[in-house]
Amino acid sequence: MWNLIIYDLQGLETLRKPVEAAPLVVGRDKACGIVLDSKAVSRQHARIVLEGDTPVVIDEGSANGTFVNGMLIEHRANLKDGDEIGVGQFKIVVRGSGAHSAQKAKAPESAAADMLDAQLQAIRSFRVESQSSSVKKSAVIDEQWAKVVPAMRTLQQKLAGDKRVLTFTIRPDGREVAVKVADSDSRLGHRSIVLTRDHPDQEYRAMLKIWLLEFGEHDAGFDDGEDAMRRFLQRLALSLA
């Protein structure tokens, strides 16, 4: 039997679920088999199923993607013992039955102490891995963002005389670009489009991404600077065309 061990933001084990033939849906919706209460998690973010003897994770078109061992999956990925599924800020560890057989055979009087030791080790390992992973990913995103800002400064100069562009600002620290453009189709008469390294909602900041924000639209996170700019310019072009 395969099991999923769910860890919260502090690295504490919060839940265990067996992987069975019936799909196990992971998401923010209360009807999901694994409920992860975070805005960074889609209502139905991913599902995990058994295909033969192999557990498989399938992304359900989530807004922020599903990761296996730190790598974003395109749609689906086969899983093995020890793999870590990343959903929002949560970690789900895949364990095969053999990984726990030795623990089950231990004498009852030592079981509690052994379980505590295992929990402490898991928490410490989680914290070290999370810190290391965050530092590495932050450096990658900063590198991507460094490509965005010069391109946005050039665009700012190009649109300086366009009366449809009401404001085009780049924050002094260079970590946010905001454009307000006139749009007669908008209820407000304009659209405000923001490209930023710092999501205003603290809950999202643990997800190291470049963020595209617009009132009335879903927030979109990107790992690639060019992808972020492309989506930003698509929205801007809709108002300028």
Side-chain angles (χ1 to χ4, degrees):
M1 175 182 289
W2 293 90
N3 291 283
L4 303 175
I5 308 173
I6 297 86
Y7 294 90
D8 65 11
L9 304 184
Q10 285 72 47
L12 296 174
E13 180 183 327
T14 60
L15 183 68
R16 289 191 180 217
K17 280 277 190 176
V19 183
E20 299 173 334
L24 183 61
V25 180
V26 181
R28 195 173 75 247
D29 194 292
K30 299 301 182 185
C32 291
I34 297 177
V35 179
L36 302 179
D37 189 13
S38 168
K39 293 179 182 178
V41 178
S42 298
R43 292 188 180 280
Q44 293 189 344
H45 197 107
R47 57 191 166 96
I48 301 168
V49 298
L50 268 183
E51 294 185 355
D53 294 326
T54 303
V56 178
V57 60
I58 302 169
D59 184 79
E60 292 291 290
S62 63
N64 294 309
T66 301
F67 296 78
V68 174
N69 298 327
M71 301 294 293
L72 179 68
I73 66 172
E74 292 187 6
H75 175 55
R76 55 180 284 143
N78 291 353
L79 301 167
K80 62 183 183 301
D81 183 56
D83 279 349
E84 297 180 2
I85 305 168
V87 176
Q89 309 100 310
F90 297 89
K91 181 174 81 170
I92 302 173
V93 177
V94 181
R95 288 297 182 197
S97 58
H100 302 288
S101 59
Q103 180 178 333
K104 292 179 180 178
K106 287 186 178 292
E109 57 269 19
S110 65
D114 290 342
M115 289 174 67
L116 176 60
D117 287 342
Q119 286 289 326
L120 290 171
Q121 184 178 357
I123 292 169
R124 290 164 184 157
S125 175
F126 176 84
R127 288 175 177 169
V128 170
E129 290 173 7
S130 295
Q131 185 176 18
S132 175
S133 177
S134 294
V135 169
K136 290 178 182 177
K137 185 170 183 181
S138 181
V140 171
I141 297 299
D142 283 340
E143 183 179 341
Q144 291 294 316
W145 181 251
K147 301 175 184 177
V148 171
V149 177
M152 291 294 104
R153 294 195 190 280
T154 301
L155 182 63
Q156 184 184 42
Q157 295 174 0
K158 178 180 176 62
L159 297 176
D162 195 321
K163 295 182 179 180
R164 295 169 297 177
V165 180
L166 306 178
T167 60
F168 194 132
T169 59
I170 299 175
R171 211 165 70 187
D173 64 1
R175 293 180 69 84
E176 183 173 291
V177 178
V179 177
K180 182 185 290 185
V181 58
D183 190 329
S184 58
D185 293 331
S186 170
R187 181 172 58 85
L188 300 174
H190 66 267
R191 298 177 70 181
S192 294
I193 311 168
V194 176
L195 200 59
T196 181
R197 269 291 279 116
D198 305 310
H199 197 287
D201 191 332
Q202 189 66 34
E203 188 174 8
Y204 284 85
R205 290 198 177 183
M207 300 182 62
L208 300 170
K209 291 182 178 292
I210 297 171
W211 292 98
L212 177 61
L213 314 175
E214 183 179 358
F215 179 76
E217 300 288 341
H218 291 296
D219 298 347
F222 300 89
D223 295 316
D224 183 85
E226 288 190 8
D227 287 345
M229 282 195 293
R230 187 177 299 110
R231 289 286 296 276
F232 176 87
L233 295 172
Q234 283 175 349
R235 295 192 184 186
L236 182 59
L238 285 173
S239 297
L240 296 179

